[in-house]
């Protein structure tokens, strides 16, 4: 009895962590609407955002009511990685964030899909979506890294800036039964290879922040996240109990 | 829609210049006969210069409207009050980008380029629908745009699926098919608000009050003041007059508003048994012309935002072009610097 | 400054197995790989396809409308190419 409920609690917490990742990144990508560098990319970014939002809705619904969870939780109750909440920056920053996160998500969902845990059905569908997201990010990393001097410099800057948020992706999440060390090794190998092919330098700096209190998975976020939530939640919170 | 076969229109025009008057007359007779027989004109067919120019102007304006039209709705993506609504709105704004793309492609079959058309938009030499110069002030505006603005657009667009120019007609078939959910989601959104809390109901009514008249203006000036209408109808680019379509739209909306539990802001609106149509009050054409001239609430904002997105994306487009050129030449990154 | 007007590509989509690829429209892309991906995003976002071709628009050679008569009219007077040209006695089956 106790074991079952502890397992349920862990599964709920895990659904929140993975669901928040998808929700927050989808929101950030949604901010691009109307601003993309070329029309074709408007359509591509929206496709990725919609895939992620679909994943978020399934995952949050495993943990409770999707809208209550999305719109009525305080910042400290969100469990997403700090990486996904980072502002869009220029297109290079968005692509670097996509590269790092989608490579991680692809590996994670791949493992979950082949297991028999509660996330296997979702992961089976999501891993195909994520494969495309990863491919999109890879294609653009190659073009921006090995494009013009300006694009190379911007892409290197973005990779360097976001590198320190990448360690958190492999911090074990209770209720997600995968080989985290194996994921990290595979991630470093694949990402490093893409960066090298894009004529970029793999950063040497630390992959986590120095704060021992933790990061996103512990509910500790970065400053821009509070403003993002304020915008996202404002309307819903202004009409308590309303249906939309 | 667009076909590569079409791209050498410049060449065919050079040919026209060489052709003698008899040839031109032959061509013109063949063109007129094709239009009269309800056949489609295709990109490489001979067509009068004025027909070509009219189409470029109209298709470009239509494409620009899709692209600028993303802004007022994208304004609410980050604040959508439920995840379901957020997904719907993102998909809708994405569709508008797609529709812009279809339409730019159709225009390109006439011998212009997207770059040229965007440049004309950015420098104010080509227009977009004035409706997008109105602001989206509340969430209910997203619903009002779906119901009224998309509703008016669909009323305008359905006849364009039979337009005499093949690529435009085919683009419109695709657009209309995809857009069928746009109007319904707007109506459903407003219905939820109308049946919701008193605050939500008031929000919905306020949005309908603000969007009703501008939506009626979307059909363009009255027939007797519409400069291009007669020729466009003769060429079967346009199939119905502005006033005819406007009346059709009003007749459709009145019962829909009643089902919503919302009122349309026109005290003169009433059924006319004799005409078999609704009478409606006078439209403020002074406002229409003023917004068209650039004096609307958001003209400056919409255009400068579009320009900024284009300028800020330049380095990305350049990078991809440079990368592609180097791949073709078999060079590597070492040659970049 | 680099010229950045990406080339135009024609997109052909196979809507399901058993059908041929049909012209769906066109788009701009810097190279074939991105053209393919853009085509996927733009022309199959409602599940319209199972396979895509992209072709540089400049690679297409088309017949000209001025050659319409010499190209297409000669085939109009060969009715013996169509099965309805032949008279078969009533009752003969599987033919």
């Amino acid at each position: 009895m106790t074991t079952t409920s502890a397992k349920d609690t862990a599964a709920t917490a895990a659904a929140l962590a993975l669901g928040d990742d998808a929700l927050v990144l989808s929101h950030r990508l949604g901010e691009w609407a109307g601003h993309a560098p070329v029309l074709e990319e408007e359509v591509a970014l929206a496709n990725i955002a919609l895939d992620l939002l679909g994943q978020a809705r399934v995952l949050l619904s495993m943990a409770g009511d999707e809208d209550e969870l999305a719109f009525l939780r305080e910042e400290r109750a969100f469990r997403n990685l700090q990486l996904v909440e980072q502002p869009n920056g220029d297109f290079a920053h968005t692509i670097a964030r996509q590269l790092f996160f989608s490579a991680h998500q692809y590996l994670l969902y791949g493992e979950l899909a082949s297991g028999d845990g509660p996330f296997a059905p979702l992961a089976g569908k999501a891993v195909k979506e994520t494969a495309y997201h990863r491919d999109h990010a890879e294609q653009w990393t190659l073009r921006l890294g090995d494009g013009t001097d300006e694009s190379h410099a911007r892409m290197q800057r973005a990779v360097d800036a976001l590198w320190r948020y990448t360690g958190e992706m492999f911090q074990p999440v209770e209720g997600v039964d995968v080989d985290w060390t194996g994921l990290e090794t595979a991630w470093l190998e694949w990402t490093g290879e893409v960066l090298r092919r894009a004529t970029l330098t793999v950063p040497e700096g630390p992959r986590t922040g120095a704060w021992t209190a933790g990061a996103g998975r512990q509910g500790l976020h970065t400053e821009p996240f509070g403003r993002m939530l304020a915008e996202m939640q404002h309307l819903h919170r202004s009409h308590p109990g309303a249906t939309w | 829609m667009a076909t590569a076969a079409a791209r050498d229109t410049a060449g065919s025009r050079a040919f026209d210049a060489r052709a003698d008057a008899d040839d031109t007359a032959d061509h013109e007779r063949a063109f007129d006969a094709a239009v009269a027989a309800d056949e489609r004109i295709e990109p490489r067919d001979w067509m009068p210069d004025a027909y070509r120019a009219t189409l470029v102007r109209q298709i470009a304006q239509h494409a620009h409207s899709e692209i600028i039209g993303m802004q007022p709705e994208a304004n609410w993506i980050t604040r959508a009050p439920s995840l379901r609504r957020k997904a719907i709105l993102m998909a809708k704004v994405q569709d508008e980008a797609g529709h812009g793309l279809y339409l730019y492609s159709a225009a390109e079959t006439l011998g212009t380029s997207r770059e040229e058309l965007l440049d004309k938009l950015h420098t104010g030499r080509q227009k977009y629908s004035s409706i997008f110069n109105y602001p989206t002030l509340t969430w209910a505006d997203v619903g009002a745009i779906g119901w009224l603005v998309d509703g008016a657009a669909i009323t305008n667009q359905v006849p364009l699926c039979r337009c005499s120019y093949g690529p435009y007609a085919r683009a419109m078939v695709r657009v209309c098919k995809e857009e069928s959910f746009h109007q319904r989601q707007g109506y459903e959104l407003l219905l939820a608000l109308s049946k919701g809390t008193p605050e939500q109901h008031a929000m919905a009514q306020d949005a309908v009050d603000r969007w009703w008249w501008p939506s009626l203006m979307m059909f363009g000036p009255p027939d007797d003041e519409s400069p291009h209408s007669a020729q466009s109808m003769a060429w079967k680019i346009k199939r119905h007059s502005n006033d005819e379509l406007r009346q059709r739209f009003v007749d459709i909306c009145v019962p829909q508003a009643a089902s919503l539990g919302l009122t349309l802001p026109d005290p003169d609106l009433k059924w006319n048994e004799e005409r078999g149509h609704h009478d409606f009050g006078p439209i403020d054409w002074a406002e229409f012309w003023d917004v068209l001239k650039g004096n609307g609430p958001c003209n400056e904002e919409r255009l400068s935002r579009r320009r900024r997105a284009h300028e800020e994306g330049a380095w990305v487009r350049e990078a991809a072009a440079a990368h592609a050129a180097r791949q073709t030449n078999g060079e590597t990154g070492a040659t970049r610097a | 400054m680099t010229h950045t007007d990406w080339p135009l590509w024609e997109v052909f989509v196979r809507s399901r197995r058993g059908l041929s690829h049909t012209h769906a429209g066109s788009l701009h892309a810097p190279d074939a790989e991105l053209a393919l991906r853009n085509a996927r995003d733009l022309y199959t976002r409602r599940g319209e396809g199972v396979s895509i071709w992209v072709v540089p628009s400049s690679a297409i050679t088309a017949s000209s409308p001025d050659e319409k008569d010499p190209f297409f009219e000669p085939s109009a007077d060969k009715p013996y190419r169509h099965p309805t040209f032949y008279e078969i006695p009533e009752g003969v089956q599987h033919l």
Side-chain angles (χ1 to χ4, degrees), chain B residues 269-291:
Chain B
L269 192 65
K270 60 172 183 300
W271 178 250
N272 182 325
E273 192 65 53
E274 205 174 303
R275 292 202 306 124
H277 290 292
H278 291 88
D279 290 338
F280 52 95
I283 292 171
D284 183 356
W285 291 110
E287 175 180 316
F288 173 80
W289 293 114
D290 216 19
V291 175

Side-chain angles (χ1 to χ4, degrees), chain B residues 235-272:
Chain B
W235 278 332
K236 294 188 182 171
I237 294 174
K238 208 177 153 110
R239 296 275 181 166
H240 305 279
S241 81
N242 295 352
D243 287 332
E244 202 182 333
L245 290 170
R246 186 166 18 242
Q247 180 70 62
R248 186 182 293 178
F249 179 68
V250 171
D251 290 339
I252 289 171
C253 285
V254 171
Q256 289 177 347
S259 300
L260 277 176
L262 298 173
T263 52
L264 297 171
D266 180 358
D268 297 327
L269 192 65
K270 60 172 183 300
W271 178 250
N272 182 325

Side-chain angles (χ1 to χ4, degrees), chain A residues 38 40-41 43-45 47 51 128-129 132 135-136 139-140 143 148, chain C residues 2 6 26-31 33-34 36-38 40-42 45:
Chain A
V38 63
E40 279 80 357
E41 208 49 37
V43 183
L45 292 172
N47 266 349
D51 285 345
K128 291 178 208 150
E129 297 168 348
Y132 190 79
D135 174 71
H136 173 267
Q139 296 297 330
W140 273 110
R143 281 158 184 77
T148 60
Chain C
T2 332
W6 294 348
S26 54
L27 49 77
H28 288 269
D31 54 60
E33 285 177 315
L34 280 191
L36 204 51
R37 285 159 179 82
N38 291 344
R40 178 261 194 195
D41 284 330
L42 183 60
R45 66 188 188 286

Side-chain angles (χ1 to χ4, degrees), chain A residues 120-141:
Chain A
L122 166 90
K125 176 175 181 287
V127 73
K128 291 178 208 150
E129 297 168 348
T130 306
Y132 190 79
H133 305 171
R134 192 179 77 144
D135 174 71
H136 173 267
E138 178 186 353
Q139 296 297 330
W140 273 110
T141 301

